[in-house]
Amino acid sequence: MEIKQHERLHRDDKNLCKLAISELEDIYSDLGLSIEELDLLDMPRRSFSVHFPVRMDDGKTKMFVGHRVQYNDARGPTKGGIRFHPQLTHDDVEDLAFLMSLKCAVVNIPFGGSKGGVVVNPKEISRGELERVTRSYIQAISDYIGPFKDIPAPDVYTDEKIMVWILDEYERIKGEHVPALVTGKPIELGGSKARSYSTSLGGIYILEEAMRKIDLDKFEVCLAVQGFGNVGENAARLLHEKGYKVIAVSDSKGGIINQDGLDIPAVMKHKDLTESVVDFAGSTNITNEELLTCGCDILIPAALSDQLTRKNAADVEAKVVLELANAPTTKDADDIFFDKKIMLIPDVLANAGGVVVSYFEWSQNLTNDYWEEARVLERLKKTMITAFNDVYALCDKENCRMRQSAYKLALQRILHAEKLRGNL
Ligand code: NAD
C-alpha cells in the first residue's frame, strides 16, 4: 500500500475525531449527564506510553515510542487497532480509543474501545527492522493486552503480516497458543472468512434495511460510489452482484458515469490495467464533485473525509447517504440533509461491519469452532440490521439526526454497563 493513502487515512481520522467530539458536546447536554457520568466518560481507564530499544540493520540501537489507550471496558475487553505512523500522538490515540468504545457500543458487540501504535514510518525501515519494532512493542505492552483484556487489530500502516508477528511474540512470552489475542489474522492462523469485504457488506445490509423503511425499490434506484479502494470497490462490486444499478464511481483521478448502469466487473478490470476508473469505455468522465451531485438515489461516500459540505449539500439529490468513509460529511451538510429529509446513515454505524467480523474472529478463536462464510454473513447481517433498527427507532422517537441517535445510544449503553457494575 502507498504511504500517501495512509497519510490520508490518518487525516480522515483526525477529522472524524474533531467532528465526533463537537457533536458529543451537544449530546452530553441533551442527555443531561451528571458530573460523575461526564467525569467517567472524560477519562480513559488506562493510558500509557512505552519506550523501547530496537537494534537497527546498521548495528546501532534506536529508541522508539509506542502508545496504548484502553478507553472504556465496561461492556467487555477493549478492542482497537494498532497503527504505525510517524506523526502518531498520544492525544490522537486517546480520541480514537474513545470513538472505538462508541462504535462497539452502537453495534452492540461485547467490547470496549482502545487504540494504540508506534511512532514510526514503516516505509523508511527494512522488513527486519519493522518486525523487531513490532515484537519489541508487544514485549513492552504484553502484560496489558490479552483476549480478555485488550485485543489489537490492524489499522493505518499495519496489516495481516504485522498481526502475525504480534501473535507470535505474545505466544512466545506466554508459552501457549492464544489466537484470540489479535484479530485481522490470515485464515490459516485463525482469521475469519469474509473479513476482507466485511465493512462494505455490513454497510449494504444496513442500506437495504433503510430502503425498506422508506419504501425504496431495489430495481428503481440508482447509486453512486465515491472511492474505488478496499471499501468503495467492494461496495460497488457487491451491489452490482446483488442486481443494483450503480451509475457512477470514482477514484482520486476522477469519476465515470453511465445512466444505464456500469458493468462493475469490467470497470474493475479497467482499473487494474490503467490504475484508474477514468476513461472506461461506454461511460462519460465526470469530476468527483459532479459525482456527489449526479442525481443518484443513493450516494455512498467511500473515500475521504469532508466531501459533503455546506457548499454542495443543497445540490445533493440522493434520498439516502451511506457513509462508508470516515467523516465524509461536515456538520453543516448533515443539518442540510436533515432539513431536506435525506436519510444520512452515519459512519459510526455504516462502516462498523469490519469490527463486527473482528468480534466473530475472536469468538471463533475462543471456541476453536471455525465458521463457514455463510454463517459469518448471516451473523453480520443480523448484527448490522439490529443496530440500524436500534438507532433508527431512537432517531424516530427524538426526531434528531441519525448521527446524534447513534452516539446517544452508544453512550447510554456504556453508562448503563457502568451503573450495573456499581461504578455510577
Ligand atoms: P483505500 O485507500 O483502499 O481507498 C481509498 C479510495 O479513495 C481509492 O480508490 C482512492 O483512489 C480514492 N480517493 C482518493 N482521493 C480521492 C478523491 N479526492 N476523490 C475520490 N476518491 C478519492 O481506503 P479504504 O480502506 O477503502 O477506506 C476508505 C474510507 O473508508 C476511509 O475513510 C476509511 O477511513 C474508511 N473505512 C475503512 C474501513 C476498512 O475496513 N478499510 C473501515 C472503516 C472505515
Side-chain angles (χ1 to χ4, degrees):
M1 267 194 255
E2 279 299 303
I3 192 163
K4 252 169 73 194
Q5 290 183 349
H6 290 294
E7 276 165 359
R8 181 183 52 65
L9 290 178
H10 189 57
R11 195 204 77 190
D12 283 357
D13 283 345
K14 280 202 160 161
N15 284 331
L16 177 68
C17 294
K18 215 173 65 201
L19 198 76
I21 285 157
S22 70
E23 194 82 66
L24 283 166
E25 284 169 9
D26 291 345
I27 291 172
Y28 285 172
S29 73
D30 262 20
L31 288 174
L33 300 185
S34 67
I35 300 285
E36 294 101 298
E37 287 170 328
L38 286 171
D39 278 353
L40 192 144
L41 291 171
D42 202 36
M43 286 171 220
R45 286 305 166 84
R46 181 181 278 138
S47 170
F48 59 95
S49 298
V50 289
H51 297 89
F52 49 90
V54 175
R55 178 83 63 198
M56 305 307 279
D57 290 347
D58 63 5
K60 294 195 175 124
T61 295
K62 189 171 169 195
M63 290 302 290
F64 284 85
V65 56
H67 307 289
R68 189 78 184 161
V69 176
Q70 297 158 355
Y71 206 95
N72 186 285
D73 64 351
R75 293 171 41 82
T78 50
K79 177 98 193 75
I82 289 183
R83 71 176 48 182
F84 285 178
H85 197 281
Q87 270 102 44
L88 187 74
T89 69
H90 194 83
D91 284 350
D92 292 344
V93 176
E94 204 164 285
D95 289 345
L96 291 165
F98 181 50
L99 289 179
M100 272 306 288
S101 312
L102 296 179
K103 190 177 250 191
C104 293
V106 170
V107 285
N108 212 2
I109 55 177
F111 287 143
S114 58
K115 204 69 157 196
V118 177
V119 182
V120 59
N121 186 343
K123 266 232 148 163
E124 286 174 356
I125 60 177
S126 70
R127 186 189 155 102
E129 288 170 337
L130 186 63
E131 178 172 350
R132 294 195 291 282
V133 165
T134 306
R135 289 183 182 276
S136 301
Y137 173 60
I138 295 308
Q139 285 163 21
I141 68 169
S142 65
D143 279 349
Y144 304 101
I145 56 174
F148 301 107
K149 289 183 189 168
D150 180 23
I151 306 139
D155 199 89
V156 176
Y157 274 157
T158 57
D159 56 13
E160 212 172 73
K161 169 189 74 199
I162 292 178
M163 297 308 110
V164 173
W165 292 332
I166 291 176
L167 178 70
D168 187 69
E169 189 60 32
Y170 186 83
E171 291 183 340
R172 281 179 197 212
I173 295 167
K174 299 293 166 189
E176 60 189 15
H177 282 282
V178 197
L181 164 77
V182 57
T183 61
K185 303 180 292 291
I187 297 221
E188 297 78 358
L189 291 181
S192 179
K193 294 195 170 137
R195 185 179 56 85
S196 58
Y197 60 90
S198 54
T199 301
S200 311
L201 187 59
I204 293 173
Y205 287 145
I206 284 190
L207 174 66
E208 295 193 312
E209 188 66 8
M211 287 171 61
R212 263 190 285 281
K213 294 271 188 267
I214 54 173
D215 283 332
L216 283 184
D217 186 315
K218 166 177 177 173
F219 297 108
E220 286 172 10
V221 294
C222 58
L223 298 94
V225 182
Q226 186 194 42
F228 213 67
N230 177 300
V231 178
E233 179 174 324
N234 274 315
R237 175 182 66 80
L238 292 162
L239 287 162
H240 181 82
E241 283 170 9
K242 281 172 166 272
Y244 285 89
K245 188 159 86 176
V246 180
I247 60 165
V249 296
S250 68
D251 57 35
S252 58
K253 299 195 177 125
I256 51 170
I257 191 163
N258 178 341
Q259 296 292 351
D260 296 329
L262 293 162
D263 176 355
I264 297 297
V267 176
M268 288 163 65
K269 274 196 200 128
H270 175 76
K271 168 129 189 163
D272 279 349
L273 288 174
T274 66
E275 295 187 355
S276 174
V277 298
V278 173
D279 290 335
F280 175 65
S283 71
T284 309
N285 288 341
I286 52 171
T287 63
N288 261 294
E289 189 60 24
E290 285 165 342
L291 178 137
L292 298 171
T293 54
C294 74
C296 60
D297 302 296
I298 293 161
L299 177 63
I300 307 186
L304 304 176
S305 61
D306 282 350
Q307 296 300 293
L308 296 160
T309 65
R310 192 195 321 196
K311 283 193 192 144
N312 59 9
D315 299 327
V316 171
E317 292 174 30
K319 298 175 183 74
V320 180
V321 175
L322 179 76
E323 290 190 334
L324 289 187
N326 277 332
T329 313
T330 65
K331 192 158 179 296
D332 292 335
D334 205 338
D335 285 335
I336 294 170
F337 291 160
F338 187 64
D339 291 343
K340 286 180 73 178
K341 300 203 173 359
I342 293 175
M343 181 192 273
L344 183 137
I345 308 173
D347 46 15
V348 67
L349 171 66
N351 69 28
V355 73
V356 171
V357 172
S358 287
Y359 160 50
F360 298 159
E361 179 176 339
W362 174 80
S363 170
Q364 291 170 70
N365 297 149
L366 290 179
T367 54
N368 227 357
D369 174 21
Y370 286 88
W371 308 354
E372 290 304 325
E373 190 156 357
R375 182 160 178 217
V376 178
L377 302 188
E378 184 198 317
R379 292 283 308 266
L380 175 65
K381 186 173 185 176
K382 196 169 165 212
T383 309
M384 297 306 284
I385 289 179
T386 307
F388 173 80
N389 281 320
D390 291 348
V391 173
Y392 187 81
L394 188 62
C395 191
D396 206 30
K397 187 171 142 216
E398 305 206 341
N399 189 30
C400 63
R401 291 183 283 116
M402 211 181 280
R403 197 185 313 280
Q404 292 171 311
S405 51
Y407 287 148
K408 271 188 191 174
L409 187 72
L411 290 170
Q412 283 167 341
R413 285 181 173 157
I414 292 169
L415 292 172
H416 185 60
E418 294 284 13
K419 279 183 191 133
L420 289 172
R421 287 174 181 278
N423 294 331
L424 283 169

